[in-house]
Amino acid sequence: ETPAAPAILSRDSQTNDRVEMVFTGKAGTAGGVDHGLDYKVEGIRQVMEYPDLRGMGPMNFEITSPGYDAVAKISGARNDGILSLLAWFVAHPSEELISGSQDGLRDKLSAAMPLWDDASGTMAIRDFKVLSPFGEFGASMMAVEFGMSGLETDGRFREMLTFSGLTVPEAIMPPWALPLVPQEIMLDFSASDFNLAAPAKMIIEGFDLTAGHPMAKVDPAQLGTAFFDGGPALLALAPGHIKGDGYEIGYQGEMKVSDTAAPNGIATISATGLDKIEAALNAAPPEQAQQPLMMLQMAKMLGKAGASGELVWEVDATDPNGAILVNGQQVAGGTPPQQ
């Protein structure tokens, strides 16, 4: 039989006018290798063509940007262990060879731990635009900042995202919703006080590549206990915000999570310009705005005045019985207050 011609689901082409990368390495002060990376790209263009995207017909998307800059640092990279592990896989190029020598693989994995001590980086892309069949989406700046530990007992992770100058096609937005489109968003999330070394050690010692389920001998409950290492992990939101035309919503908070207790935490939310949001919702069809307007009115009733005239909500979810308080008033969970 004549084989059928392959169906083309998509085509993708990318071009860059210039790419420049500088990669450095030197002996780490605490062992391993300290690396630095500077990466610059100019004149970005990407075209994605879909002959028939989910039965909606042909669609094309074009992404452009004058460029982006990125900087990354890795301290204490265990290059010798990582390269030795890579060489081991080159010497064992089949599933049978790998599973037949898995004790050697355990040794190589253990020697490469914790992979690195700390890794961090930033990236900022300028005048990002997406031309679509629905119109043009864009952002004058999109930035990412991250940091993470290696597989250590003192686990850490952080990521901050910033978007400014956001634009969306007016054709896909109802007129009443246009004032609600945020112009700037900043989110800064982190996690700490968890153990990555102990679970990694348990996985390395417990996997069995010859079994039907390679991880069957690894107890998930024991992994959780090792991960939390006797205490809760801390999830935190550093002060961030959402800004729009005449309004701003701020937020920050933290939450403790563990394998032995329910999550608990506190948060502070603030807002200015809620009248702008309320006016936009009042201009919407009633069937679309009724519920958001009701929630907004309830939020305003629970808010208290801040130092600069903003409304503030202090959320307390630390009660062991599950009660959630907003500005001292119980709104959910726990035992209902006595009348």
Side-chain angles (χ1 to χ4, degrees):
E1 298 179 1
T2 303
I8 298 176
L9 301 180
S10 65
R11 296 183 179 90
D12 190 303
S13 63
Q14 302 179 43
T15 59
N16 299 310
D17 293 342
R18 177 181 174 84
V19 177
E20 179 180 335
M21 181 178 70
V22 178
F23 186 68
T24 62
K26 62 180 181 180
T29 56
V33 181
D34 292 346
H35 289 293
L37 172 67
D38 286 286
Y39 196 77
K40 297 181 180 180
V41 181
E42 298 176 358
I44 300 170
R45 182 173 182 266
Q46 180 177 358
V47 177
M48 296 172 288
E49 303 176 53
Y50 298 91
D52 188 11
L53 185 59
R54 294 186 177 182
M56 296 186 295
M59 290 192 181
N60 296 338
F61 299 83
E62 181 179 359
I63 299 174
T64 60
S65 168
Y68 69 86
D69 304 317
V71 177
K73 296 180 179 179
I74 302 176
S75 61
R78 304 306 194 267
N79 287 12
D80 51 351
I82 295 172
L83 293 174
S84 178
L85 179 62
L86 178 61
W88 188 91
F89 277 107
V90 172
H92 299 76
S94 70
E95 183 176 339
E96 291 77 13
L97 290 173
I98 292 172
S99 59
S101 304
Q102 60 181 355
D103 287 338
L105 177 58
R106 290 186 222 279
D107 294 340
K108 296 298 181 182
L109 287 168
S110 298
M113 295 297 109
L115 301 180
W116 63 78
D117 294 333
D118 188 74
S120 61
T122 61
M123 187 193 78
I125 184 168
R126 307 177 299 277
D127 294 327
F128 179 82
K129 295 179 181 179
V130 179
L131 184 61
S132 76
F134 316 105
E136 185 177 277
F137 300 82
S140 59
M141 178 66 71
M142 295 195 308
V144 178
E145 183 176 337
F146 73 91
M148 66 181 73
S149 67
L151 300 180
E152 302 175 339
T153 56
D154 180 20
R156 305 173 307 283
F157 173 81
R158 174 178 177 257
E159 184 171 14
M160 182 173 72
L161 305 173
T162 304
F163 304 89
S164 58
L166 296 173
T167 58
V168 297
E170 293 189 6
I172 68 170
M173 298 285 292
W176 63 266
L178 290 175
L180 301 180
V181 176
Q183 299 170 347
E184 182 176 301
I185 300 174
M186 198 273 276
L187 177 68
D188 190 346
F189 169 80
S190 65
S192 59
D193 298 342
F194 54 88
N195 188 334
L196 293 175
K201 185 173 185 292
M202 293 174 61
I203 292 173
I204 291 172
E205 293 177 351
F207 73 78
D208 183 1
L209 300 180
T210 63
H213 299 284
M215 302 297 293
K217 296 181 181 178
V218 180
D219 186 345
Q222 292 181 354
L223 282 179
T225 300
F227 177 84
F228 289 107
D229 199 16
L234 180 65
L235 308 180
L237 275 179
H241 59 258
I242 299 174
K243 293 181 179 180
D245 184 13
Y247 73 87
E248 179 176 350
I249 300 172
Y251 41 79
Q252 61 179 312
E254 62 180 39
M255 176 180 290
K256 293 181 179 179
V257 296
S258 74
D259 61 333
T260 58
N264 67 87
I266 57 174
T268 300
I269 303 170
S270 62
T272 59
L274 289 183
D275 56 330
K276 297 280 188 179
I277 298 176
E278 188 171 3
L281 291 173
N282 279 322
E287 65 273 11
Q288 298 182 26
Q290 183 177 4
Q291 186 173 359
L293 275 171
M294 183 173 63
M295 295 174 63
L296 180 60
Q297 292 297 330
M298 291 178 59
K300 291 171 69 174
M301 291 173 57
L302 290 170
K304 66 179 183 179
S308 302
E310 74 278 16
L311 277 180
V312 178
W313 299 266
E314 294 180 352
V315 183
D316 186 334
T318 60
D319 182 70
N321 295 318
I324 299 176
L325 308 180
V326 177
N327 291 335
Q329 182 175 346
Q330 184 173 335
V331 296
T335 303
Q338 297 297 320
Q339 299 296 328

